[in-house]
Amino acid sequence: MCFRSGKLTMDSDPSYRPWKYDIDTHHLTCVVSNSTYYLRYSSSSSAFQGSTSTGNIYFFVKQNGSGSDDPIAVTGVSLDKTELKLEEGETATLKASVSPGNATYKAVSWSSDKTTVATVDDNGKVTAVAEGTATITVTTEDGNKTATCAVTVTKATEKPTYQLVDEPEDGGEYLIVSSNSAGSAYALKNPGGTSAGAAMDSTSVTIGADGIVKTADTDVIWTVTKNGAGFNLKNGTDTLEGKSGDVKIFNSVQYADRYWTYTENQLKHNGGNNTYIVYYDNGFKATYNSSTEKVYFYEKVSESTDPVAVTGVELDKGTMALTVGGTGTLTATVAPEDAANKNVTWSSSDTAVATVDNGIVTAVAAGTATITVTTEDGNKTATCDVTVTAPQEIESSVIELMKLKNNSSVWLIQVEAEAGKGFTYKGTAMVWSSRYEAYVIAVESATKPEPVAADFAAAGDAAAAVEYPAANDANGSKKVDMADVQYIYNLYSGKYETLEAAGDVTKVLGADINGDGVIDSKDATPILTALRGAQA
């Protein structure tokens, strides 16, 4: 079977036109007159065809002379790496090899014993999640054979940054990458050249959503040196060159007059009458006088820098006084200002007295406790001593104002004490914020008094400056009319079920026209009398 006149034909003497089968790409190729032809199957025409474009086909080999259909059992599995070191956020792909090579059923599954440290997908791609160690296991579905890889994840560090460029410059450092889209990709790696050259290899990299690649792997850094119309590519002492139909990495310059060019994302090596093109197809490869997939140049735009270490931490307060139920806020300042890792943790020496959450201290019970902040980098600490006191009991005079539908009473509690401290009324904690006489509203039920849904501090401040309205102006409208009578009626008949519905403290006090401490029909009498007099 061979090509004649650009067509696939059967030939009685095909020996001078050999076929080659690539087990990695499943490409069956034939070289004719310096052109490469591929045997492929076209689903549209349901036929085998010859083409200069690639297409996968598959070889099925008879396993034994008897023609038996008995499956070949799996005897084992191995991984290309037994140890893997990654930084947080990095990825790497493990490759599994099932034995024997002609096993009938080679399906495998992947698992991680600690997914909080590292995860693995169905294709063996390992993703480092957080600092720690994990074991990745591959298991054959036939025979349940296993192999493992120990993964160590460390904290992420600053790495050199690379960005996509169209043209390389003399002296620049570049990555040769398989993709220009965000996600996982591969970079051409120097596997270590010899006098006979070394086959091209690759390593995993990640292209960020911003198009940036970050890596500290020196094996993927290629330095450009101008050479006539093109440039040379070197990694350390090794040179990327083309020789004898292959592109390889040599530890010495084989052909000084041959150079690389980079045009339309094709990396081409020119020497004599031949052009070799580097491309990526499930691994970096080289082809002769033909193009397939593109590669991309990423130029180094920043150097890695050592992270700035933490030298100390301070708190804005060294002491704090709180009343049970109260809260206070501590602010931590990490030094120096440009420290790389400013993360801190908080703790309390006695959580029964005071707790702390992200710098917010809550007083639980009377006593003392020490709040400590600790830096994640360097374990630097600072402390604040917290003293918690019990609420203050205060005697209060109580004036009944009105009855509500829920058979409870609204009370006006008149208190006088220092601002900023707490007090209790019949077991219910309350606060106020005025240094003067303050009014705080609470609801007393048959069993336990509960505060109404109101801001005590705000209510206190509002009531502290109360100026009683003019006589007979029950609703505070600065005029006397039937609306004042209606407001009084609404209050004592129970129309308002909450203080918010009835109005603020000033309005409620103003409805007690006769000052007897109870709002009822007697308060409407002087208003009606005044209105009748005005109409007379």
Side-chain angles (χ1 to χ4, degrees):
M1 180 173 66
C2 197
F3 279 96
R4 284 187 178 276
S5 302
K7 295 182 179 180
L8 180 65
T9 62
M10 298 302 296
D11 196 319
S12 60
D13 184 17
S15 59
Y16 61 92
R17 293 176 180 175
W19 289 91
K20 180 181 177 181
Y21 183 71
D22 189 324
I23 62 173
D24 291 327
T25 63
H26 307 299
H27 291 163
L28 186 61
T29 61
C30 179
V31 178
V32 181
S33 301
N34 294 329
S35 297
T36 301
Y37 295 92
Y38 296 87
L39 179 64
R40 65 185 179 91
Y41 184 83
S42 172
S43 59
S44 61
S45 61
S46 299
F48 281 97
Q49 296 184 349
S51 172
T52 55
S53 63
T54 58
N56 290 341
I57 63 171
Y58 304 90
F59 270 23
F60 287 82
V61 182
K62 189 174 183 179
Q63 300 297 328
N64 52 60
S66 65
S68 171
D69 292 332
D70 293 339
I72 307 299
V74 170
T75 59
V77 64
S78 61
L79 290 172
D80 61 332
K81 299 180 183 70
T82 57
E83 292 184 349
L84 201 58
K85 294 182 179 180
L86 299 172
E87 292 186 1
E88 291 174 337
E90 288 186 335
T91 63
T93 299
L94 296 173
K95 295 180 180 179
S97 298
V98 176
S99 300
N102 62 347
T104 304
Y105 193 45
K106 293 185 177 182
V108 297
S109 60
W110 299 85
S111 63
S112 169
D113 71 337
K114 194 175 293 184
T115 54
T116 56
V117 173
T119 61
V120 61
D121 67 12
D122 293 339
N123 298 313
K125 180 181 176 181
V126 180
T127 301
V129 178
E131 187 176 18
T133 59
T135 299
I136 303 299
T137 301
V138 61
T139 305
T140 64
E141 295 193 15
D142 177 14
N144 204 40
K145 308 298 182 180
T146 61
T148 60
C149 176
V151 179
T152 301
V153 179
T154 56
K155 288 287 185 182
T157 58
E158 288 295 320
K159 301 180 182 67
T161 298
Y162 298 81
Q163 67 182 14
L164 191 67
V165 293
D166 294 326
E167 295 292 337
E169 295 183 2
D170 185 53
E173 294 183 348
Y174 297 87
L175 306 182
I176 302 169
V177 184
S178 64
S179 173
N180 63 346
S181 301
S184 298
Y186 293 91
L188 179 63
K189 179 181 180 180
N190 180 2
T194 66
S195 59
M200 292 187 297
D201 198 1
S202 62
T203 189
S204 298
V205 294
T206 300
I207 304 174
D210 55 1
I212 296 297
V213 175
K214 293 184 178 181
T215 180
D217 188 351
T218 57
D219 286 342
V220 296
I221 300 175
W222 297 92
T223 302
V224 167
T225 303
K226 196 169 184 181
N227 181 1
F231 52 84
N232 293 333
L233 284 170
K234 294 191 68 174
N235 183 305
T237 59
D238 294 342
T239 303
L240 182 66
E241 290 194 56
K243 180 184 178 183
S244 302
D246 294 315
V247 175
K248 292 186 177 181
I249 297 168
F250 295 89
N251 62 3
S252 62
V253 177
Q254 300 293 304
Y255 300 98
D257 61 335
R258 298 184 178 181
Y259 56 86
W260 291 97
T261 59
Y262 183 70
T263 306
E264 295 180 351
N265 303 322
Q266 292 289 4
L267 187 58
K268 300 178 181 180
H269 184 267
N270 300 281
N273 296 321
N274 299 329
T275 300
Y276 301 94
I277 300 173
V278 174
Y279 69 99
Y280 186 87
D281 184 9
N282 195 29
F284 276 94
K285 301 179 182 297
T287 186
Y288 169 70
N289 282 341
S290 175
S291 76
T292 52
E293 301 179 24
K294 297 179 179 181
V295 296
Y296 302 89
F297 264 26
Y298 285 75
E299 183 178 24
K300 181 187 284 188
V301 293
S302 72
E303 291 287 349
S304 62
T305 56
D306 293 332
V308 178
V310 170
T311 58
V313 63
E314 293 182 353
L315 289 174
D316 60 333
K317 302 180 185 71
T319 61
M320 180 180 288
L322 296 173
T323 302
V324 172
T327 61
T329 300
L330 293 173
T331 301
T333 303
V334 176
E337 186 177 354
D338 59 346
N341 182 359
K342 292 188 176 184
N343 294 334
V344 297
T345 58
W346 299 84
S347 62
S348 170
S349 64
D350 191 346
T351 55
V353 173
T355 61
V356 61
D357 181 16
N358 198 29
I360 299 176
V361 182
T362 300
V364 179
T368 59
T370 299
I371 302 300
T372 301
V373 63
T374 305
T375 64
E376 191 173 280
D377 176 19
N379 205 40
K380 308 297 183 181
T381 61
T383 60
C384 174
D385 295 324
V386 178
T387 301
V388 179
T389 57
Q392 177 186 1
E393 291 285 345
I394 295 182
E395 293 294 329
S396 304
S397 60
V398 181
I399 305 173
E400 183 179 7
L401 293 181
M402 61 184 176
K403 297 287 184 181
L404 297 181
K405 290 181 180 179
N406 60 6
N407 206 24
S408 298
S409 298
V410 172
W411 305 84
L412 179 66
I413 305 169
Q414 182 176 326
V415 296
E416 184 173 358
E418 183 181 355
K421 292 185 178 179
F423 71 95
T424 60
Y425 170 62
K426 295 186 178 181
T428 300
M430 300 179 182
V431 296
W432 71 94
S433 60
S434 173
R435 289 183 178 273
Y436 308 99
E437 185 177 55
Y439 298 93
V440 182
I441 301 300
V443 174
E444 183 187 56
S445 65
T447 57
K448 179 183 178 182
E450 296 289 345
V452 296
D455 185 328
F456 291 130
D461 283 341
V466 165
E467 293 182 4
Y468 284 82
N472 301 338
D473 182 10
N475 61 5
S477 64
K478 298 185 186 282
K479 63 180 181 179
V480 179
D481 54 20
M482 286 301 295
D484 295 296
V485 176
Q486 184 66 50
Y487 181 62
I488 292 171
Y489 173 78
N490 290 344
L491 287 174
Y492 76 73
S493 66
K495 180 177 180 180
Y496 304 123
E497 297 188 3
T498 65
L499 177 64
E500 288 83 352
D504 60 21
V505 175
T506 302
K507 287 190 67 174
V508 173
L509 291 174
D512 184 14
I513 299 297
N514 60 8
D516 63 358
V518 179
I519 299 175
D520 53 21
S521 60
K522 295 179 182 178
D523 295 297
T525 300
I527 299 176
L528 291 170
T529 301
L531 291 174
R532 292 191 186 99
Q535 295 172 354

